[in-house]
Amino acid sequence: MIVAAVPMTVTFDRLSPRANTTDRLVFCHFMIGIVGNRQNASDYDDDMKRAKSLGIDAFALNIGTDSYTDTQLGYAYQSAANNDMKVFISFDFNWWSISQASDIGAKVKQYAGLPAQLTYGGKVVVSSFAGDGVDVATLESSAGTEIFFAPNFHPGQGNFSAIDGALNWMAWDNNGDNKAPTPGHNVTVADGDQSYITALSGKPYVAPASAWFSTHYGAEVSYSKNWVFPSDLLWFNRWNDLLTLGPQFVEIITWNDYGESHYIGPLSSPHNDDGASKWVMDMPHDGWLDMAKPFISAYKAGSTSVNQYITDDQLIYWYRPTPKSINCNSTDNTEQGNPNNSSGNFFRGRPNGYETLADAVFVVSLLTEPATIKVQSGNNTQTFSAEAGASAFSVPMGVGKQVFSVTRNGQSILSGTSLKDIVDTCICGIYNFNAYVGTLPAPSTIDKLQPAGLSMLTQGLQVPCPTNTLGTTPTATLGRYAVTPIRRSK
């Protein structure tokens, strides 16, 4: 059966005019807290080069109060300057206090004059994660320079009259209380957009874009948490929404927060393991980078359609590695010990909100001309008629091989079998609700976690767990590695 793609239509209330296309910028949130093992500025070069090649203008460098923060900021600012990128500091108020306005301003002052510092309207750009209630006047006075402060204040909580713009962090539909939607409680991402646009009263809006959210920490760490937000085709749908909305800024969440599974950067990007390797290993996401590139170009050009910015035929696909019905309770890491639930974010077993995710394989086609797409997920096979431009499809998840092909006028254009099968067993003994992302054409190398990024893999596991198995026969299990201590930021 051939199924035609369904055109997407998105409607937004016009609470503010679309931003001028000449100064639209794309940021990407970058976690400094997990990269304390980087040794020099060149360790940032690949990240800077790759982000720049996609059209990302600046990294928002999320910092806490770690002993290595200044060292890593120095490296990041130097690498950005060397690679014609920009960066700015995003203060994480899980670690900073709103009473530290003077200290925050002093930290801004320390880096404000460096060549890679992003400025907007001649002002030094500064942002945050949370921070409602910080004294903005004291912060700016202590910085000793004019700042463009676009924090993650929340409508109804922060003083929006004191800031220059605002970042909305909630890039996922939710229940209004930082969990997945429930019946009668669904705050969509578009609802969040409108709430911020209203609160900003014409000031620039930093709109979020994220592809996924899943976290699964148990008692093996002190920051236990276990929930998902509905994601599925979010990455495709959100970029189409953003083309319609046309905000001044977009911030991608995130480049390298592996712990919450919304990383779009490479697994091989140097970082320490905070316990996330259990669901991140063998789960590359860089296909989402490929998908974003033409959308970023369209957004900056002020277009409401990505189609004319697609220059090559590509297929991007993603899926969870197991059906949500499998039972891993006897070996799952969240079923062990006495986890810390001071945050209220911990749940045993399957992650809170798992019901909001579909057991499906998601496919996005970026085509220069119409073509036929065939997807085989286990024993489920469907064929789709895709128009030129960007289209999205889904196929019910089937256990087994995942095979994809694109044909045009009877000729094979793209074809391949994913390196990751869907299985009905518990990988490493746990519930893994992260996404595996693949592409056609397939990448020339397999993206893998490095030893430091695997250092906590065995903590909390009850069964052996072969490492870096994509494209290989799983034989090796993990040894021990010495790494720099890391922190979790959210």
Side-chain angles (χ1 to χ4, degrees):
M1 178 178 66
I2 295 180
V3 182
V6 178
M8 168 169 291
T9 58
V10 182
T11 302
F12 287 96
D13 295 330
R14 290 295 181 210
L15 297 184
S16 70
R18 287 168 55 83
N20 189 312
T21 60
T22 60
D23 57 357
R24 290 183 178 184
L25 298 174
V26 176
F27 313 138
C28 191
H29 209 78
F30 186 104
M31 312 301 291
I32 291 293
I34 62 167
V35 298
N37 61 329
R38 297 194 177 194
Q39 299 299 306
N40 47 56
S42 63
D43 283 346
Y44 286 83
D45 285 351
D46 286 344
D47 295 314
M48 298 292 175
K49 291 173 182 177
R50 192 157 192 178
K52 183 178 175 61
S53 72
L54 296 167
I56 294 171
D57 299 289
F59 278 127
L61 303 175
N62 175 297
I63 66 166
T65 54
D66 303 291
S67 60
Y68 50 82
T69 294
D70 281 323
T71 298
Q72 296 302 327
L73 282 179
Y75 293 158
Y77 269 81
Q78 185 60 58
S79 175
N82 293 345
N83 291 288
D84 195 28
M85 269 283 282
K86 296 296 181 183
V87 292
F88 60 94
I89 298 176
S90 178
F91 291 87
D92 192 325
F93 280 87
N94 278 313
W95 306 98
W96 294 88
S97 166
I98 61 172
S99 65
Q100 292 180 282
S102 295
D103 294 336
I104 293 167
K107 186 66 68 180
V108 172
K109 185 176 184 178
Q110 189 176 342
Y111 296 92
L114 295 181
Q117 171 65 51
L118 179 68
T119 60
Y120 185 76
K123 300 179 179 181
V124 172
V125 175
V126 182
S127 189
S128 75
F129 174 77
D132 299 285
V134 71
D135 187 328
V136 179
T138 298
L139 192 163
E140 183 160 21
S141 175
S142 300
T145 187
E146 286 190 295
I147 65 171
F148 183 89
F149 192 38
N152 171 223
F153 280 11
H154 298 80
Q157 299 180 41
N159 180 6
F160 277 63
S161 66
I163 59 178
D164 303 288
L167 164 68
N168 174 12
W169 183 263
M170 290 305 295
W172 315 270
D173 290 357
N174 61 91
N175 68 348
D177 193 25
N178 202 38
K179 297 295 182 297
T182 56
H185 298 87
N186 185 16
V187 180
T188 68
V189 184
D191 291 337
D193 289 333
Q194 299 303 350
S195 179
Y196 270 83
I197 289 169
T198 299
L200 284 163
S201 300
K203 294 178 181 179
Y205 174 42
V206 188
S210 190
W212 205 259
F213 187 105
S214 175
T215 188
H216 197 68
Y217 294 102
E220 71 277 5
V221 297
S222 61
Y223 33 85
S224 309
K225 57 182 184 179
N226 181 27
W227 88 95
V228 300
F229 285 123
S231 300
D232 291 355
L233 275 171
L234 174 63
W235 191 234
F236 177 81
N237 293 338
R238 181 57 175 164
W239 275 108
N240 280 286
D241 291 354
L242 289 168
L243 294 188
T244 302
L245 184 64
Q248 184 67 63
F249 307 117
V250 171
E251 185 158 326
I252 296 170
I253 302 171
T254 59
W255 186 261
N256 64 338
D257 193 336
Y258 304 98
E260 293 182 350
S261 305
H262 42 63
Y263 56 96
I264 63 168
L267 299 179
S268 58
S269 181
H271 67 279
N272 285 318
D273 188 9
D274 61 2
S277 57
K278 288 183 281 295
W279 57 89
V280 171
M281 182 182 65
D282 290 341
M283 304 290 270
H285 284 182
D286 34 355
W288 281 332
L289 290 174
D290 297 335
M291 198 211 87
K293 185 174 182 178
F295 281 95
I296 290 173
S297 296
Y299 159 75
K300 289 187 174 182
S303 177
T304 57
S305 171
V306 70
N307 291 357
Q308 71 183 86
Y309 299 91
I310 295 169
T311 57
D312 300 291
D313 293 317
Q314 289 182 285
L315 207 68
I316 300 95
Y317 57 85
W318 59 92
Y319 49 86
R320 301 189 326 277
T322 59
K324 56 190 177 186
S325 61
I326 64 166
N327 190 327
C328 304
N329 286 352
S330 63
T331 55
D332 185 67
N333 60 306
T334 66
E335 294 284 357
Q336 316 303 320
N338 298 296
N340 172 19
N341 195 23
S342 59
S343 67
N345 292 327
F346 177 76
F347 304 85
R348 291 192 184 273
R350 295 180 184 88
N352 177 265
Y354 80 93
E355 305 94 337
T356 64
L357 301 175
D359 277 348
V361 175
F362 305 99
V363 181
V364 168
S365 60
L366 304 176
L367 300 177
T368 57
E369 300 177 44
T372 299
I373 297 169
K374 183 178 180 181
V375 180
Q376 180 180 344
S377 179
N379 292 326
N380 300 328
T381 301
Q382 288 193 23
T383 303
F384 302 93
S385 178
E387 297 300 318
S391 304
F393 313 90
S394 66
V395 173
M397 178 185 290
V399 172
K401 298 290 184 184
Q402 310 298 305
V403 185
F404 306 86
S405 65
V406 180
T407 58
R408 180 180 294 134
N409 299 325
Q411 301 294 314
S412 175
I413 304 300
L414 300 167
S415 64
T417 300
S418 173
L419 296 177
K420 172 71 76 173
D421 292 354
I422 292 175
V423 298
D424 56 2
T425 56
C426 302
I427 301 170
C428 296
I430 70 168
Y431 291 108
N432 190 339
F433 278 73
N434 191 7
Y436 173 84
V437 184
T439 61
L440 293 178
S444 58
T445 58
I446 298 174
D447 185 26
K448 297 181 179 181
L449 289 173
Q450 301 304 302
L454 286 163
S455 61
M456 289 181 64
L457 176 64
T458 59
Q459 295 188 24
L461 296 185
Q462 305 300 306
V463 300
C465 186
T467 61
N468 287 338
T469 63
L470 288 184
T472 68
T473 301
T475 55
T477 55
L478 183 72
R480 297 280 182 182
Y481 300 91
V483 297
T484 306
I486 54 85
R487 62 172 171 84
R488 282 301 307 157
S489 290
K490 290 177 289 301

